[in-house]
Amino acid sequence: MSLYIVKDGERFLWVAAALGDEVYSFVPDLGTFHRNDGLRDDFFMERELQYEQITVTRAKALIESGLQPLDGEVMADHLTDWRSDPAALAPEQVFASVVADLR
């Protein structure tokens, strides 16, 4: 598993984690990581966005800094799905997976 800052040009979009063939994004509104199929498609195929690999320390700092909530109108459907996501991952779970992969 690897962590990334995802940007569209200079605009910050996500803290993301790639795990196998899945990509999870941190949703500030919920405080958890969720599978993000659109981001997965871009990460593995389209590559229209920019991905900067980061450390667990940097990811923690970004999350703790209080990331902007998502646009509730634009992301309404996604937020509804993510709120009921039984496979949501706590940041600590994601960070532990990244550290375990380093060993």
Side-chain angles (χ1 to χ4, degrees):
M1 178 178 274
S2 299
L3 294 165
Y4 299 89
I5 291 175
V6 183
K7 293 183 177 181
D8 185 4
E10 291 300 313
R11 187 171 63 107
F12 172 88
L13 298 176
W14 301 103
V15 171
L19 171 59
D21 61 352
E22 295 295 340
V23 175
Y24 294 80
S25 56
F26 179 76
V27 178
D29 310 61
L30 306 175
T32 47
F33 281 84
H34 298 268
R35 201 174 88 197
N36 186 321
D37 294 338
L39 199 55
R40 179 198 64 216
D41 292 348
D42 187 76
F43 184 80
F44 289 110
M45 295 178 282
E46 298 162 5
R47 283 298 185 160
E48 293 178 6
L49 302 173
Q50 295 78 49
Y51 298 85
E52 174 190 341
Q53 192 166 359
I54 60 173
T55 63
V56 168
T57 302
R58 181 125 183 248
K60 281 183 181 181
L62 284 166
I63 288 170
E64 291 170 0
S65 73
L67 298 172
Q68 286 273 133
L70 301 179
D71 183 322
E73 288 183 30
V74 172
M75 299 296 288
D77 291 340
H78 293 293
L79 284 167
T80 297
D81 291 343
W82 289 331
R83 279 188 182 96
S84 62
D85 181 4
L89 299 173
E92 297 78 23
Q93 290 175 282
V94 172
F95 300 151
S97 293
V98 171
V99 171
D101 280 355
L102 295 175
R103 295 180 186 176

